[in-house]
């Protein structure tokens, strides 16, 4: 066979049938959890001004420096596909004056994101996340509540054994002191650092903490830790978050190297890990970003949020054997025999669908055997058969596809009968 000319781009997947169903099921479960906790829906565009991501996510982060899908549009504007949700949502919060709403303003979203990364299992160039942001609440209870929201979602989708790691990155009062200690330490060990991390050290030293390079990780094991440099307010805040989690008996680990891949975080950061091995085991994470709204031109507004990667969660569920079998609703197949039955069958499919009964059928095909075979392959629960005799007598044959039992019903009773059998209310 000739090679197909067009194929999906590297790192971009088609989801067809069951995987597509699993993805949309995860999203609806998440929506239910977020809405119950008082989050309202927001949808922002896939494309934004490139400057928005450079300013917020940070020019030296991988997500912007290496992975941004950027192009110049027909008016010579540099635009980029969103690599994450927070920047766009903060822009919208400012643009639409959401600071005048009763605070906190709690928003959730889901959808596709784009990063020009090296594709591998659990890492794609187009991937999906669910995401929440809570604006206008500085108290540690808000941090704890976004964390428990994630836990509730995992529980609802029956994803067990997810571990939670936490750290605090401090704020402008204490971060400079930590940064200096880190730079001093890393400079002392500069020769042992991986090449790329020597560059990061010069440009954006906190990014070194995020390094995946083995040589750098070895140096980092002895590096100064943010938690030892927190100012009193940041210490109190972090202790407050832990108090709520402890009170609920939620397990977590403190990870002094956790900085997350984006520049805008302050104070609390957290990440969730599944049980699968390797770098792709992070299911998602988030944290506080109390300076970002102001950085993008809004009023100073504390905020905290998180994002979870849905492809990773599906892999984790599959590894766990916890992917629920798709719930297939009861369905009927309408089979017709001969020209006089054609219109009756077409009409009946429409009446069934209007009546809330899931129905398919091919009215233009001949051969009742072939039609029933197709019904069987589709796994429907019933077939309705209409032949010339049935048209004449204004009846239909209802066939139970599991037992093979058949009965004759008046044509005008079949919709109500199937509604009852399928429990359509
Ligand atoms: P981040 O926005 O980088 O903190 O990512 C949050 C979560 O999104 C990660 O923990 C992953 O689960 C998921 N994620 C990030 N990048 C990718 C990617 N390239 N492919 C698939 N999932 C991703």
């Amino acid at each position: 066979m000739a090679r197909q000319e067009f194929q999906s781009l590297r790192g971009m997947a088609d989801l067809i049938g069951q995987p597509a169903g699993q993805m949309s099921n995860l999203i609806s479960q998440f929506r239910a959890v977020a809405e119950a906790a008082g989050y309202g829906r927001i949808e922002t565009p896939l494309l934004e001004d490139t400057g928005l991501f450079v300013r917020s996510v940070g020019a030296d982060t991988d997500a912007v420096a290496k992975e941004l899908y950027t192009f110049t549009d027909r008016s010579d504007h540099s635009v980029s596909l969103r690599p994450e949700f927070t920047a766009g949502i903060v822009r919208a919060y400012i643009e639409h004056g959401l600071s005048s709403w009763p605070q906190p303003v709690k928003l959730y979203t889901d959808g596709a994101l784009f990063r020009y990364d090296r594709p591998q299992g659990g890492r794609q160039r187009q991937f999906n996340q669910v995401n929440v942001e809570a604006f206008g609440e500085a108290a540690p209870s808000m941090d704890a509540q976004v964390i428990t929201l994630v836990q509730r979602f995992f529980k609802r989708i029956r994803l067990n054994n997810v571990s939670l790691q936490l750290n605090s990155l401090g704020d402008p009062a204490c971060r400079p002191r930590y940064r200096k200690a880190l730079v001093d330490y890393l400079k002392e060990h500069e020769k042992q650092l991986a090449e790329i991390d020597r560059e990061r050290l010069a440009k954006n030293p906190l990014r070194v903490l995020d390094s995946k390079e083995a040589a750098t990780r070895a140096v980092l094991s002895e590096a100064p830790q943010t938690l030892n440099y927190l100012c009193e307010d940041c210490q109190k805040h972090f202790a407050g978050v832990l108090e709520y989690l402890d009170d609920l008996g939620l397990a977590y680990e403190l990870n002094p190297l956790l900085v997350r891949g984006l520049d805008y975080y302050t104070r609390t950061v957290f990440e969730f890990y599944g049980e699968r091995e390797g770098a792709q085991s992070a299911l998602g994470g988030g944290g506080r970003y109390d300076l970002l709204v102001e950085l993008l031109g809004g009023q100073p507004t504390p905020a905290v949020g998180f994002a979870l990667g849905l492809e990773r969660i599906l892999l984790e569920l599959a590894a766990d054997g916890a992917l629920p079998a798709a719930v297939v609703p009861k369905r009927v197949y309408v089979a017709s025999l001969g020209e006089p039955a054609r219109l009756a069958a077409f009409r009946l499919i429409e009446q069934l669908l209007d009546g809330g009964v899931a129905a398919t059928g091919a009215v233009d095909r001949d051969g009742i055997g072939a039609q029933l075979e197709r019904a069987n392959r589709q796994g429907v629960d019933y077939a309705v058969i209409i032949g010339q005799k049935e048209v004449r007598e204004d009846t239909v044959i209802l066939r139970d596809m599991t037992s093979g039992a058949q009965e004759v019903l008046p044509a005008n009773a079949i919709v109500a009968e199937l509604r009852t059998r399928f429990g359509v209310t």
Side-chain angles (χ1 to χ4, degrees):
M1 210 169 71
R3 190 171 176 277
Q4 188 185 338
E5 189 179 356
F6 296 112
Q7 290 172 345
S8 64
L9 298 177
R10 204 160 115 75
M12 309 219 170
D14 298 310
L15 293 182
I16 300 170
Q18 184 146 319
Q22 286 161 347
M23 180 67 82
S24 67
N25 179 45
L26 272 192
I27 292 172
S28 43
Q29 306 280 3
F30 183 78
R31 288 179 181 174
V33 172
E35 284 178 5
Y39 287 80
R41 185 161 183 80
I42 181 167
E43 290 186 32
T44 62
L46 294 178
L47 272 180
E48 297 272 3
D49 191 313
T50 301
L52 174 69
F53 300 119
V54 173
R55 176 88 63 87
S56 58
V57 175
D60 308 320
T61 57
D62 284 355
V64 167
K66 297 194 203 149
E67 298 165 4
L68 210 54
Y69 273 89
T70 298
F71 62 95
T72 309
D73 71 11
R74 290 171 193 273
S75 308
D76 256 358
H77 289 134
S78 178
V79 294
S80 298
L81 283 167
R82 62 187 185 192
E84 57 105 55
F85 282 117
T86 306
I89 295 176
V90 172
R91 177 200 48 69
Y93 178 89
I94 300 167
E95 189 170 334
H96 302 287
L98 270 52
S99 58
S100 66
W101 290 15
Q103 307 283 306
V105 172
K106 305 202 292 186
L107 302 168
Y108 79 91
T109 194
D110 50 73
L113 302 159
F114 302 84
R115 295 184 193 173
Y116 196 82
D117 205 343
R118 197 165 47 80
Q120 51 185 287
R123 197 195 290 165
Q124 296 175 193
R125 289 180 174 171
Q126 176 176 334
F127 59 99
N128 291 279
Q129 286 183 346
V130 291
N131 182 96
V132 310
E133 314 290 353
F135 295 96
E137 178 56 75
S141 55
M142 195 72 248
D143 311 39
Q145 279 175 338
V146 301
I147 291 171
T148 58
L149 185 70
V150 181
Q151 305 275 34
R152 199 168 308 113
F153 170 59
F154 286 152
K155 201 162 157 197
R156 183 174 173 126
I157 61 171
R158 299 204 172 79
L159 181 59
N160 304 310
N161 306 321
V162 175
S163 57
L164 164 62
Q165 297 194 357
L166 283 170
N167 193 19
S168 174
L169 300 180
D171 69 5
C174 50
R175 180 125 24 120
R177 209 161 63 86
Y178 172 67
R179 190 184 147 107
K180 180 168 186 316
L182 180 69
V183 170
D184 289 349
Y185 171 83
L186 291 176
K187 283 209 167 130
E188 258 172 57
H189 299 83
E190 194 160 356
K191 287 203 181 69
Q192 291 139 266
L193 294 179
E195 162 102 44
I196 177 161
D197 291 314
R198 287 204 288 272
E199 284 168 31
R200 286 185 178 133
L201 173 57
K203 283 199 211 153
N204 192 345
L206 280 177
R207 291 265 65 83
V208 178
L209 292 175
D210 209 24
S211 174
K212 310 271 180 305
E213 307 292 324
T216 305
R217 310 265 346 144
V219 173
L220 286 174
S221 61
E222 303 285 317
Q225 305 189 350
T226 53
L227 291 181
N228 296 328
Y229 289 79
L230 297 183
C231 61
E232 205 183 324
D233 285 349
C234 285
Q235 260 175 33
K236 250 170 75 185
H237 184 91
F238 196 52
V241 177
L242 301 186
E243 186 190 11
Y244 289 116
L245 300 181
D246 289 338
D247 185 60
L248 293 177
L250 261 177
Y252 56 83
E253 242 173 81
L254 298 183
N255 175 355
L257 295 181
L258 182 65
V259 284
R260 314 253 317 123
L262 319 169
D263 268 356
Y264 49 62
Y265 288 106
T266 47
R267 294 195 168 168
T268 320
V269 286
F270 56 89
E271 207 145 77
F272 292 91
Y273 294 89
E275 282 184 309
R276 290 177 317 117
E277 289 294 302
Q280 262 58 254
S281 67
L283 303 179
R288 220 169 231 293
Y289 51 92
D290 289 344
L291 306 176
L292 184 58
V293 178
E294 199 179 354
L295 182 72
L296 294 179
Q299 298 299 318
T301 308
V304 55
F306 68 75
L308 305 174
L310 297 181
E311 283 79 6
R312 302 261 176 99
I313 291 175
L314 285 174
L315 284 174
E316 197 66 32
L317 282 169
D320 227 18
L323 264 183
V327 184
V328 183
K330 283 189 182 297
R331 288 170 303 147
V332 59
Y333 187 95
V334 178
S336 63
L337 190 63
E339 174 59 23
R342 185 171 59 83
L343 277 180
F346 183 88
R347 202 183 315 121
L348 179 58
I349 293 172
E350 298 303 312
Q351 288 166 347
L352 287 165
L353 290 171
D354 287 345
V357 175
T360 56
V363 296
D364 299 313
R365 308 208 189 206
D366 49 12
I368 198 76
Q371 291 187 56
L372 287 180
E373 175 56 31
R374 202 172 311 116
N376 219 354
R377 269 209 311 271
Q378 288 182 14
V380 298
D381 304 272
Y382 290 96
V384 173
I385 303 163
I386 310 176
Q388 291 182 30
K389 177 163 176 275
E390 285 70 36
V391 173
R392 227 175 23 246
E393 295 176 356
D394 227 2
T395 57
V396 297
I397 299 169
L398 179 62
R399 179 187 174 90
D400 181 324
M401 294 299 286
T402 317
S403 68
Q406 295 195 167
E407 58 195 296
V408 177
L409 295 170
N412 61 10
I414 185 66
V415 175
E417 178 63 28
L418 283 170
R419 279 174 62 91
T420 309
R421 294 196 189 200
F422 288 5
V424 179
T425 48

